Amino acid sequence: MRPKIYLFGDSITEESFGDGGWGASLANHFARTADVVLRGYSGYNTRWALKVIDKVFPAEESGGDAPLAVTVFFGANDACLPDRSAAFQHVPLDEYKKNLNSIVSFLKRRWPTTLIVLITPPPIDEDGRILCPFVEDNSGLPERTNESAGSYAKACLAVASDSQVFAVDIWTKMQQFPGWHKACLRDGLHPTPDGNKIVFEEVLEKLKEKGLSSENLPSDLPLLAEIDPNDPLKAFEN
């Protein structure tokens, strides 16, 4: 009954339906007009995403209505440093760009009319990563750096430009927020409520540029205001 918006990405997408999450905010915004469908995979990089994309978006789904939009939010794990504790998640920058291009090409072939929005990896609070209890590294060094994340963010934007799809530059946008290290990132990587709000607002802005907002999309069934109190069932005849 409702068109779909898919969210495809790593843990920042997987956790986005949590309290105050950017995905939950999108689902709330599009209530009654579109289904926001979560396809987030914690720890995944673009190499792994390409391995599973046929399962994430199976061929039979292409026979139905094309989704309104798909967000693609990878890069945070690709940008892990190759000589630190998360090296197994690292993907070289050139391969990251090729993988991201392949993901975009897959989606364009599957759904030519669907809006694709690439989201850059977020900035990194390196002190926050060192203190994160889930990072197993005795070197006292972060497994990610903001410089590396920035390189992957620029690569993401370049892919978006070359592929002529929309992009959201979270890496830059978050760093414009006062005290962003702690205000936007809870563990040096994953967004706080303020960080989630930035992602939500930036993604929604891109969707609105293409006319995709709760104000512009039809509701799937009559709204309460459209139901005549004197003849309620009349609203359901059409």
Side-chain angles (χ1 to χ4, degrees), residues 8-130:
F8 184 37
D10 53 34
S11 60
I12 303 175
T13 296
E14 181 176 340
E15 297 176 7
S16 70
F17 271 27
D19 188 21
W22 65 274
S25 295
L26 282 174
N28 179 64
H29 176 84
F30 286 101
R32 296 289 297 272
T33 59
D35 289 330
V36 179
V37 184
L38 185 63
R39 293 292 183 267
Y41 304 91
S42 180
Y44 277 41
N45 54 36
T46 54
R47 184 184 295 164
W48 304 350
L50 270 179
K51 286 290 186 182
V52 301
I53 196 167
D54 282 310
K55 295 181 176 67
V56 176
F57 303 111
E60 55 266 25
E61 291 197 8
S62 64
D65 293 335
L68 296 175
V70 180
T71 62
V72 179
F73 198 171
F74 290 101
N77 297 311
D78 301 67
C80 288
L81 300 181
D83 58 349
R84 304 272 171 90
S85 59
F88 73 103
Q89 293 171 284
H90 171 75
V91 172
L93 189 60
D94 286 345
E95 184 190 343
Y96 168 71
K97 291 180 70 174
K98 291 178 183 177
N99 293 343
L100 207 51
N101 263 312
S102 296
I103 291 170
V104 170
S105 296
F106 174 95
L107 294 172
K108 283 186 171 184
R109 288 193 305 271
R110 179 67 42 99
W111 297 302
T113 62
T114 295
L115 175 67
I116 300 170
V117 181
L118 302 187
I119 307 175
T120 73
I124 298 296
D125 170 22
E126 295 168 24
D127 289 339
R129 294 309 294 166
I130 293 171

Side-chain angles (χ1 to χ4, degrees), residues 44-227:
Y44 277 41
N45 54 36
T46 54
R47 184 184 295 164
W48 304 350
L50 270 179
K51 286 290 186 182
V52 301
I53 196 167
D54 282 310
K55 295 181 176 67
V56 176
F57 303 111
E60 55 266 25
E61 291 197 8
S62 64
D65 293 335
L68 296 175
V70 180
T71 62
V72 179
F73 198 171
F74 290 101
N77 297 311
D78 301 67
C80 288
L81 300 181
D83 58 349
R84 304 272 171 90
S85 59
F88 73 103
Q89 293 171 284
H90 171 75
V91 172
L93 189 60
D94 286 345
E95 184 190 343
Y96 168 71
K97 291 180 70 174
K98 291 178 183 177
N99 293 343
L100 207 51
N101 263 312
S102 296
I103 291 170
V104 170
S105 296
F106 174 95
L107 294 172
K108 283 186 171 184
R109 288 193 305 271
R110 179 67 42 99
W111 297 302
T113 62
T114 295
L115 175 67
I116 300 170
V117 181
L118 302 187
I119 307 175
T120 73
I124 298 296
D125 170 22
E126 295 168 24
D127 289 339
R129 294 309 294 166
I130 293 171
L131 296 174
C132 179
F134 301 107
V135 177
E136 298 179 4
D137 193 328
N138 297 323
S139 69
L141 299 172
E143 90 289 22
R144 295 167 166 88
T145 65
N146 196 37
E147 180 181 5
S148 177
S151 296
Y152 284 73
K154 291 176 183 176
C156 177
L157 296 175
V159 170
S161 178
D162 293 342
S163 303
Q164 296 184 318
V165 300
F166 280 178
V168 171
D169 186 0
I170 293 301
W171 187 82
T172 298
K173 194 69 178 182
M174 279 192 180
Q175 291 184 80
Q176 296 170 351
F177 196 92
W180 66 269
H181 297 79
K182 307 304 179 190
C184 294
L185 304 169
R186 74 169 193 270
D187 59 0
L189 171 64
H190 297 92
T192 62
D194 282 336
N196 272 291
K197 187 172 184 288
I198 291 172
V199 179
F200 163 67
E201 290 176 346
E202 292 298 304
V203 170
L204 185 59
E205 180 181 328
K206 295 301 180 185
L207 297 178
K208 284 185 174 181
E209 286 183 31
K210 295 295 288 185
L212 303 181
S213 70
S214 60
E215 297 83 8
N216 296 334
L217 296 173
S219 297
D220 55 358
L221 291 171
L223 298 172
L224 180 61
E226 299 168 345
I227 299 175

